[in-house]
Amino acid sequence: MELQEKFDAVIAHHDRIEPRDWMPDGYRRTLIRQIAQHAHSEIIGMQPEGNWIGRAPSLRRKAILLAKVQDEAGHGLYLYSACETLGISRDELVELLLSGKQKYSSIFNYPTLSYADVGTIGWLVDGAAICNQVPLCRTSYGPYGRAMIRICKEESFHQRQGYELLRTMMSGTEEQRAMVQESVDRFWWPSLMMFGPPDTESPNSAQSMAWGIKRNSNDELRQKFVDMTVPQADALGVTLPDPALTWNDERGHYDFGEPDWAELTAVIRGDGPCNAQRLAHRRAAHDDGAWVREAALAFRAHEDGTAPVVHDAADAFGDRS
Ligand code: FAQ
């Protein structure tokens, strides 16, 4: 009772819960679910853009894209570390992703069909990620909030690089402008779906907000994203593919059409255009990297002076002891 009261007081004062503090089981489970899904999203999210590294149109664009994809890997790693402070291991988390038991963001199950998609992902997908994640810097769990502060700084940079790429293409040829518009047409609705189902259909929101894990509801953040993005689309010279999009003076916000929620449900269920491909690629990369993990363990055992855990890998690592 006393522990619960102490926990409630921390939440009520918008202070942080830290790993060694007592917390209700449901709070711990919810955090593991959300942080793990977030980490998996960063890792799977490397694939759509990674698809274009070998085909970037210039050395400059290639260097930018390589750095961006590498940043996403880094975000995944901070988030896995934050999640591990809740008492679950990295191995367990990876297994939950590879077995399909835990989710990752729906947006990464759409294909990247042209180079303009690299710019659109930076502008819209990172833009949506920022809207969603800036309030998470104030989340009630310390390690998650601190990871988000650094991640948001990098995501802001990603969004600007996407916008800069699209602006360059929009000041290019007619064909390049058409490529940007076609890309925006494909990514607009899936970007709105990143914020999750409508509040009325969101089973976790009320409790997550009461615990201070989420600071805003799915619909509030979706609205914020639309309000932020429409003027940017105007400045860029692209049309957002929603005839219902109009400024509402009374509300002080843009009105917009209803995303296809059946599509979001299907993608979350595993039936999106690229779900099978994304997981198969991740599983193959995990298997291909087995020797690195074994070598690292053997190296650590060697450094600790304990017997090598995996003898073959220790040999491969050039162990000369
Ligand atoms: N995709 O009750 P709610 C990035 C699930 S950004 C898949 O509303 P909640 C950066 C939800 O998990 C992307 N699943 O759930 C980047 C729940 O599942 P359950 C990652 C979704 O948690 C950019 C069920 O539906 N960002 O990676 C989606 O309160 C470019 C019911 O939904 C984060 O993860 C969806 N879109 O709210 C990387 C942000 N929406 O209960 C590379 C942190 C809902 O069956 C390139 N997460 N679901 O397990 C959050 O803010 C929240 O978890 C929400 C969902 C808002 C995503």
Side-chain angles (χ1 to χ4, degrees), residues 205-278:
S205 279
Q207 183 60 72
S208 287
M209 287 175 73
W211 275 328
I213 295 174
K214 283 167 81 164
R215 294 288 181 195
N216 301 88
S217 78
N218 299 355
D219 287 333
E220 280 168 10
L221 294 173
R222 199 174 353 259
Q223 179 72 63
K224 194 168 160 210
F225 173 68
V226 172
D227 291 347
M228 174 184 102
T229 308
V230 174
Q232 295 174 357
D234 288 344
L236 205 52
V238 296
T239 308
L240 296 172
D242 179 359
L245 199 56
T246 46
W247 177 253
N248 183 326
D249 232 355
E250 218 167 279
R251 292 201 309 122
H253 292 290
Y254 283 93
D255 288 339
F256 57 99
E258 194 75 11
D260 180 350
W261 298 121
E263 178 179 317
L264 176 63
T265 307
V267 176
I268 293 180
R269 196 176 52 223
D271 295 332
C274 298
N275 294 61
Q277 180 190 332
R278 298 290 185 238

Side-chain angles (χ1 to χ4, degrees), residues 33-34 37-38 41-42 45 49 68 72 103-106 108 121 125-126 129 132-133 136 144 155 193-197 202-205 214 218 264 268:
R33 177 183 65 78
Q34 179 166 326
Q37 280 181 199
H38 196 164
S41 303
E42 301 281 358
E49 289 167 288
K68 188 201 187 250
E72 310 299 357
K103 302 181 169 81
Y104 57 88
S105 180
S106 52
F108 302 117
I121 289 177
V125 175
D126 284 276
N132 171 273
Q133 292 171 23
L136 289 176
Y144 190 27
E155 299 290 24
M193 294 176 199
M194 285 175 71
F195 296 93
S202 166
N204 300 299
S205 279
K214 283 167 81 164
N218 299 355
L264 176 63
I268 293 180

Side-chain angles (χ1 to χ4, degrees), residues 22-318:
W22 180 89
M23 61 186 88
D25 284 346
Y27 179 82
R28 187 185 297 275
R29 270 198 309 275
T30 300
L31 277 169
I32 289 177
R33 177 183 65 78
Q34 179 166 326
I35 302 173
Q37 280 181 199
H38 196 164
H40 301 327
S41 303
E42 301 281 358
I43 298 298
I44 297 282
M46 295 164 74
Q47 292 186 36
E49 289 167 288
N51 179 34
W52 284 93
I53 291 173
R55 291 175 289 165
S58 68
L59 185 57
R60 175 171 176 266
R61 291 291 171 198
K62 190 183 177 107
I64 292 171
L65 187 53
L66 265 172
K68 188 201 187 250
V69 172
Q70 199 171 328
D71 281 354
E72 310 299 357
H75 298 174
L77 299 185
Y78 313 146
L79 288 164
Y80 281 132
S81 296
C83 203
E84 283 178 286
T85 64
L86 290 156
I88 185 161
S89 72
R90 180 81 58 97
D91 283 349
E92 286 171 289
L93 292 167
V94 169
E95 183 46 36
L96 285 165
L97 168 66
L98 297 182
S99 63
K101 288 192 186 121
Q102 273 182 344
K103 302 181 169 81
Y104 57 88
S105 180
S106 52
I107 191 71
F108 302 117
N109 292 309
Y110 292 86
T112 42
L113 304 177
S114 80
Y115 198 73
D117 290 355
V118 171
T120 308
I121 289 177
W123 176 41
L124 295 181
V125 175
D126 284 276
I130 292 165
C131 275
N132 171 273
Q133 292 171 23
V134 166
L136 289 176
C137 297
R138 293 181 289 108
T139 192
S140 58
Y141 188 57
Y144 190 27
R146 289 188 287 274
M148 291 319 305
I149 290 169
R150 180 158 177 182
I151 290 175
C152 283
K153 286 187 179 152
E154 293 180 351
E155 299 290 24
S156 301
F157 196 69
H158 293 172
Q159 196 220 9
R160 280 158 205 224
Q161 75 73 39
Y163 195 78
E164 189 266 348
L165 167 52
L166 295 183
R167 232 180 39 173
T168 306
M169 289 185 80
M170 288 303 284
S171 58
T173 63
E174 206 43 61
E175 201 183 350
Q176 286 174 309
R177 278 192 284 278
M179 208 189 268
V180 172
Q181 183 61 60
E182 189 275 334
S183 171
V184 169
D185 288 346
R186 277 184 289 110
F187 273 96
W188 174 247
W189 293 106
S191 300
L192 292 186
M193 294 176 199
M194 285 175 71
F195 296 93
D199 292 352
T200 48
E201 307 294 322
S202 166
N204 300 299
S205 279
Q207 183 60 72
S208 287
M209 287 175 73
W211 275 328
I213 295 174
K214 283 167 81 164
R215 294 288 181 195
N216 301 88
S217 78
N218 299 355
D219 287 333
E220 280 168 10
L221 294 173
R222 199 174 353 259
Q223 179 72 63
K224 194 168 160 210
F225 173 68
V226 172
D227 291 347
M228 174 184 102
T229 308
V230 174
Q232 295 174 357
D234 288 344
L236 205 52
V238 296
T239 308
L240 296 172
D242 179 359
L245 199 56
T246 46
W247 177 253
N248 183 326
D249 232 355
E250 218 167 279
R251 292 201 309 122
H253 292 290
Y254 283 93
D255 288 339
F256 57 99
E258 194 75 11
D260 180 350
W261 298 121
E263 178 179 317
L264 176 63
T265 307
V267 176
I268 293 180
R269 196 176 52 223
D271 295 332
C274 298
N275 294 61
Q277 180 190 332
R278 298 290 185 238
L279 267 186
H281 188 85
R282 187 64 233 143
R283 285 191 194 108
H286 188 72
D287 292 346
D288 288 349
W291 71 271
V292 180
R293 292 188 295 278
E294 286 163 9
L297 282 175
F299 182 71
R300 191 180 64 189
H302 173 256
E303 293 287 289
D304 291 350
T306 55
V309 179
V310 181
H311 301 273
D312 288 346
D315 291 338
F317 210 78

